[in-house]
Amino acid sequence: MGRITPEQYKDTTPSAYTLGRIHSVETMGTVDGPGIRFVVFTQGCPMRCAYCHNPDTWKTHAGTLVRVEDLIDQFKRKRSFYKSGGVTVTGGEPLLQPEFVGDYFYAMHHGELGFVHTCLDTCGFAFDTNQIERFERVFAETDLVLLDIKHSDSIGHRQLTGQAPERILAFGDELARRKIKTIIRHVVVPGITDTTHECFELGKLIGSWRNIVGLEMLPYHTMGVNKYEQLGLSYKLEGVRAMDKERLPELRQAVLAGMKHVRTK
Ligand code: SF4
């Protein structure tokens, strides 16, 4: 699509031929958005989260090239399953390919299928305020965002993900400005993000975003570790135990307290 201005955006035509690079699809997804969903995993991610259970999605030039229309065809085959759900794009990092995601979601809202609910599961890192026009269609056609906030502290964020948090927070600010429904996701890792202080600070970070409609505290697990062995990668959290789920309600309360702290200031 190339670079366009917001004014020009209005005149660009979404296309069912837009290409995207994907890792895989899951036809009966139940954890990434409401209801049963057709989930597309995009290929490529600039983050290196220590707990990532999809390291096979990291390489940008791997995976398979598909057109938007290929995904529509696959969706149609099981259409009746998705009545109370819809489609989700996750990754990898979907915002590396905003034209593809935007055109796919456009087809789900305005195409032959009628209206299909769209959900974007992202870490937000590929968002770029200097090229915001590339993301306009994604903003316009996304019904729900699942936004991962990895760590409340800038240094902690770098240590955990290999990247700074500023672009992610800029994306969160933009979603809030546009009032796009957003669920915040936070992976709780023993010894890293499992303190009430960390969770309170996270709440302070997101407290001003009035578009938040949910908060998911995800317990760290070790299910993806064998992928690292297969890929010949070292696993940074070797020896870290799975998160005790019983502590999640307490930590969730700490996030909510941090949000309240900002909102009652
Ligand atoms: S953002 Fe997601 S896909 Fe990318 S490294 Fe982190 S957990 Fe893995």
Side-chain angles (χ1 to χ4, degrees):
M1 188 178 281
R3 287 200 62 176
I4 51 176
T5 64
E7 291 70 33
Q8 287 172 318
Y9 166 76
K10 291 202 270 314
D11 301 326
T12 63
T13 309
S15 169
Y17 298 110
T18 305
L19 283 168
R21 194 172 283 277
I22 70 166
H23 173 272
S24 55
V25 300
E26 184 181 351
T27 56
M28 301 294 261
T30 56
V31 295
D32 296 314
I36 297 175
R37 309 190 70 85
F38 181 81
V39 182
V40 176
F41 293 80
T42 57
Q43 183 69 35
C45 184
M47 302 262 275
R48 291 294 179 265
C49 302
Y51 52 69
C52 179
H53 54 261
N54 290 326
D56 42 341
T57 65
W58 287 350
K59 279 188 186 167
T60 308
H61 296 293
T64 310
L65 276 174
V66 296
R67 295 180 199 275
V68 165
E69 65 173 358
D70 300 327
L71 299 179
I72 296 170
D73 286 344
Q74 288 191 55
F75 177 89
K76 280 199 292 199
R77 282 181 223 145
K78 290 196 167 71
R79 169 90 209 243
S80 59
F81 288 111
Y82 310 120
K83 275 187 188 142
S84 63
V87 298
T88 296
V89 178
T90 180
E93 176 40 54
L95 292 179
L96 282 178
Q97 306 178 68
E99 293 84 2
F100 174 62
V101 177
D103 285 7
Y104 175 46
F105 281 1
Y106 181 92
M108 287 294 157
H109 278 170
H110 308 284
E112 57 179 297
L113 298 161
F115 182 90
V116 177
H117 183 271
T118 61
C119 176
L120 172 69
D121 177 20
T122 177
C123 74
F125 183 78
F127 177 60
D128 184 353
T129 51
N130 294 318
Q131 298 187 50
I132 199 163
E133 64 281 1
R134 294 184 62 208
F135 300 85
E136 289 293 341
R137 188 162 289 131
V138 176
F139 287 129
E141 307 296 348
T142 300
D143 297 313
L144 176 67
V145 176
L146 309 177
L147 178 60
D148 295 350
I149 304 288
K150 316 284 188 182
H151 203 295
S152 68
D153 171 71
S154 183
I155 294 171
H157 195 280
R158 282 178 191 272
Q159 287 171 344
L160 187 61
T161 71
Q163 299 284 8
E166 282 74 18
R167 294 165 72 117
I168 296 163
L169 298 176
F171 184 64
D173 286 341
E174 195 62 33
L175 293 173
R177 196 175 71 74
R178 294 172 187 250
K179 301 185 174 65
I180 297 172
K181 286 182 184 168
T182 298
I183 293 175
I184 300 297
R185 288 179 147 181
H186 185 58
V187 177
V188 187
V189 188
I192 300 177
T193 54
D194 68 335
T195 64
T196 50
H197 172 75
E198 152 65 13
C199 291
F200 184 79
E201 292 300 312
L202 172 72
K204 280 167 61 181
L205 208 59
I206 63 176
S208 64
W209 296 342
R210 297 289 179 158
N211 57 326
I212 296 176
V213 295
L215 169 66
E216 294 183 359
M217 305 293 280
L218 305 175
Y220 166 74
H221 61 73
T222 55
M223 282 189 294
V225 177
N226 62 339
K227 286 190 187 173
Y228 284 77
E229 286 166 23
Q230 288 162 9
L231 294 167
L233 298 169
S234 62
Y235 187 64
K236 291 183 189 153
L237 299 185
E238 195 68 59
V240 175
R241 66 189 188 286
M243 183 67 201
D244 175 5
K245 291 182 188 164
E246 288 190 8
R247 289 201 53 226
L248 294 182
E250 163 207 348
L251 296 172
R252 180 185 170 80
Q253 283 307 316
V255 179
L256 295 176
M259 292 173 72
K260 192 174 171 190
H261 177 80
V262 170
R263 293 178 179 188
T264 54
K265 260 206 295 196

